[in-house]
Amino acid sequence: MGEFSRASEITPSGERSFGAVIPPGWDIVGNVNGGYLMAVAARAAAAVSGRPAPVTMTAHFLAPVAAGPVAVSAEVLKAGRRFSTVRAAVTAERPVLEALGTFGDGDRAYEGYERVDGGPPDLPEPDDCIEVLPTETFPPPFVGRVELRLHPENAVFGGPGWPRVSGWVRLRDGESIDEVALLMLADSFPPAVFFTDAPVGWVPTVELTVHVRRRPVPGWLRGVFTSHFITDGMLEEDGELWDESGRLVAQSRQLALVPR
Amino acid sequence: MGEFSRASEITPSGERSFGAVIPPGWDIVGNVNGGYLMAVAARAAAAVSGRPAPVTMTAHFLAPVAAGPVAVSAEVLKAGRRFSTVRAAVTAERPVLEALGTFGDGDRAYEGYERVDGGPPDLPEPDDCIEVLPTETFPPPFVGRVELRLHPENAVFGGPGWPRVSGWVRLRDGESIDEVALLMLADSFPPAVFFTDAPVGWVPTVELTVHVRRRPVPGWLRGVFTSHFITDGMLEEDGELWDESGRLVAQSRQLALVPR
């Protein structure tokens, strides 16, 4: 069992309730990473629905939480022929996360019409990229849980460019990446806006939605994240994750606040 | 009271439950439009939270529904200082829609950092665009509920272009557009993929998320909707709505199925 599987493990405590223990190191200055929390909620959603693979999942973040024990609940809202719609929640001393997801069986072996406008980001080889190593503050401990190599051209915090960051990512111990791990990896890059000169030091996520297209083949993922609209105290961040076969495996969008 | 306000009206039937009656004409070949249903759920979420303006709302569509009476329930999951997180559901004879949203007070009068990479789509004047008029099949009755004028360059169903559609939209009787109406208008254009030669005649929405940036100034909205990735039996459709002051008012993304 790999480190991420262990860290997102849930233990049944009732018909639709589970316990989980968030280990140290999945936090950003003390607050546990949102995508990781979403993956923990997804484990519960998968358990109650009997469908292991999120197709699309949305989480709203209600309060920050630190490492330690949490309660996770999940409830099937509709079980259909191909998909189940599931609600899931994470609670510590107060509600932490509320999620809504549609789950399926994973491997769909689809052979219908396809059309792709775009492709994976151009990146130097992983060894020629910038490895992001954790500190106690920033980069946060969380980046020690994934292996993250950023494109050198947009890896400068506070640099003059557009809000865009790209790079390679994988689970640190070579653990294979399932559909639930994609939820976490879709939130594993530092915010794109940090790589600009925008006077923004903290962008708390209100909502994160991840569409999962397919389970990746073994290896690295290529990720690219951009923000186009910083307006009215909010920004969106759009992400794409591509696997080593050159296929889109997940697409993400989040809405984050831009505190004044 | 304008037609959309009447059509999305809810009547309390309990502490957290409401009744609504979907009038004829909001359907696409018999199935009520998803964004319209989301707006009805949002009215209930706004009522229970006391916060009228969705900031971000996600709906999962569980089953199609026809015109007629529906039950709407809503529950505040967290009431914070600025926002409330709310769950809402629409039920007819079976569950129809489940939603999760973060609601606020609307007018935020934000004067902080802004940065916009892009702008409203270039469009000929509304009178020089193609008016979409409803039929009993396609274009569906629903387009009679909004005033929709498509850019002539990408208004050809089955045309050779990319999945992109743009145009003007407003409520049909000149009713002012509030944040809840934006949820519906974000789903008011025909699917972008219909304007290509893709062999796709039906794209049922699994999930729709709308970020609301601000209440529009009076007048037309400009909308643009694109799909970049048709893979694994799914596509995303991204949308932007801009108001007559040239500001982004809403951003949307949906995940839809591409049946074989």
Side-chain angles (χ1 to χ4, degrees), chain B:
Chain B
M1 196 183 226
E3 183 181 347
F4 173 70
S5 290
R6 278 198 309 278
S8 59
E9 211 175 4
I10 54 170
T11 307
S13 61
E15 201 188 332
R16 298 189 300 209
S17 55
F18 305 83
V21 179
I22 302 171
W26 292 88
D27 64 296
I28 291 147
V29 204
N31 300 327
V32 172
N33 170 261
Y36 163 77
L37 275 178
M38 194 172 174
V40 172
R43 295 275 184 230
V48 297
S49 68
R51 290 190 144 135
V55 173
T56 171
M57 191 171 190
T58 290
H60 285 235
F61 298 94
L62 311 185
V65 67
V70 294
V72 189
S73 63
E75 178 190 355
V76 175
L77 303 167
K78 186 206 166 185
R81 195 171 51 83
R82 289 178 62 194
F83 299 126
S84 293
T85 310
V86 192
R87 174 193 182 194
V90 177
T91 309
E93 285 168 18
R94 51 187 176 174
V96 166
L97 173 152
E98 182 79 26
L100 183 56
T102 292
F103 281 64
D105 300 323
D107 262 339
R108 280 180 300 263
Y110 179 80
E111 286 173 6
Y113 180 79
E114 304 226 326
R115 176 170 183 161
V116 175
D117 173 18
D122 265 335
L123 297 172
E125 290 303 306
D127 285 347
D128 297 326
C129 285
I130 310 282
E131 188 170 2
V132 184
L133 294 171
T135 66
E136 289 194 12
T137 55
F138 194 86
F142 169 74
V143 298
R145 305 276 67 80
V146 294
E147 205 168 338
L148 189 59
R149 307 278 180 90
L150 300 184
H151 192 311
E153 277 180 13
N154 50 27
V156 181
F157 288 114
W162 287 97
R164 183 179 193 278
V165 59
S166 61
W168 303 90
V169 72
R170 62 182 180 188
L171 295 175
R172 187 160 282 284
D173 49 8
E175 182 179 358
S176 69
I177 297 168
D178 68 6
E179 290 88 344
V180 171
L182 285 176
L183 302 176
M184 185 274 287
L185 293 170
D187 194 33
S188 66
F189 282 61
V193 72
F194 284 7
F195 300 94
T196 71
D197 56 9
V200 174
W202 180 53
V203 280
T205 303
V206 176
E207 176 259 317
L208 170 61
T209 295
V210 182
H211 298 174
V212 174
R213 294 295 176 103
R214 59 162 53 202
R215 177 188 283 241
V217 301
W220 288 96
L221 301 181
R222 292 174 205 237
V224 57
F225 296 83
T226 54
S227 294
H228 291 285
F229 307 113
I230 307 176
T231 67
D232 294 299
M234 295 180 269
L235 62 80
E236 96 291 358
E237 185 176 277
D238 284 355
E240 297 166 15
L241 292 173
W242 300 77
D243 74 4
E244 287 207 14
S245 75
R247 295 193 63 108
L248 179 73
V249 293
Q251 208 178 2
S252 66
R253 173 174 285 173
Q254 65 170 266
L255 183 72
L257 299 178
V258 180
R260 298 173 69 167

Side-chain angles (χ1 to χ4, degrees), chain A residues 177-200:
Chain A
I177 297 168
D178 68 5
E179 291 88 345
V180 172
L182 285 176
L183 302 177
M184 184 273 287
L185 293 170
D187 194 34
S188 66
F189 282 61
V193 71
F194 284 7
F195 300 95
T196 72
D197 57 10
V200 174

Side-chain angles (χ1 to χ4, degrees), chain A residues 170-254:
Chain A
R170 64 181 177 188
L171 296 175
R172 187 160 281 282
D173 49 7
E175 182 180 359
S176 69
I177 297 168
D178 68 5
E179 291 88 345
V180 172
L182 285 176
L183 302 177
M184 184 273 287
L185 293 170
D187 194 34
S188 66
F189 282 61
V193 71
F194 284 7
F195 300 95
T196 72
D197 57 10
V200 174
W202 179 53
V203 279
T205 303
V206 176
E207 176 259 317
L208 169 61
T209 295
V210 182
H211 298 173
V212 174
R213 293 296 175 103
R214 58 162 51 201
R215 179 188 282 242
V217 299
W220 287 96
L221 301 182
R222 292 174 204 236
V224 56
F225 296 83
T226 54
S227 295
H228 291 286
F229 306 113
I230 307 175
T231 66
D232 294 299
M234 295 181 268
L235 63 81
E236 95 292 0
E237 184 175 276
D238 284 356
E240 297 167 17
L241 293 173
W242 299 76
D243 74 5
E244 287 208 12
S245 76
R247 294 192 63 106
L248 180 73
V249 293
Q251 208 177 2
S252 65
R253 173 173 285 174
Q254 65 170 267

Side-chain angles (χ1 to χ4, degrees), chain A residues 148-170:
Chain A
L148 189 59
R149 308 278 180 91
L150 300 184
H151 193 311
E153 279 180 12
N154 49 28
V156 181
F157 289 114
W162 287 97
R164 182 178 192 279
V165 60
S166 61
W168 303 89
V169 71
R170 64 181 177 188

Side-chain angles (χ1 to χ4, degrees), chain A residues 92-185:
Chain A
E93 285 168 19
R94 51 187 176 174
V96 166
L97 173 152
E98 182 78 25
L100 183 58
T102 293
F103 282 64
D105 300 324
D107 260 340
R108 279 180 301 261
Y110 178 81
E111 288 173 1
Y113 179 80
E114 304 226 328
R115 176 170 186 163
V116 175
D117 174 17
D122 266 336
L123 298 171
E125 289 304 305
D127 286 346
D128 298 326
C129 286
I130 310 282
E131 187 170 2
V132 184
L133 294 171
T135 67
E136 290 192 15
T137 54
F138 194 86
F142 168 74
V143 299
R145 306 277 67 80
V146 294
E147 206 169 340
L148 189 59
R149 308 278 180 91
L150 300 184
H151 193 311
E153 279 180 12
N154 49 28
V156 181
F157 289 114
W162 287 97
R164 182 178 192 279
V165 60
S166 61
W168 303 89
V169 71
R170 64 181 177 188
L171 296 175
R172 187 160 281 282
D173 49 7
E175 182 180 359
S176 69
I177 297 168
D178 68 5
E179 291 88 345
V180 172
L182 285 176
L183 302 177
M184 184 273 287
L185 293 170

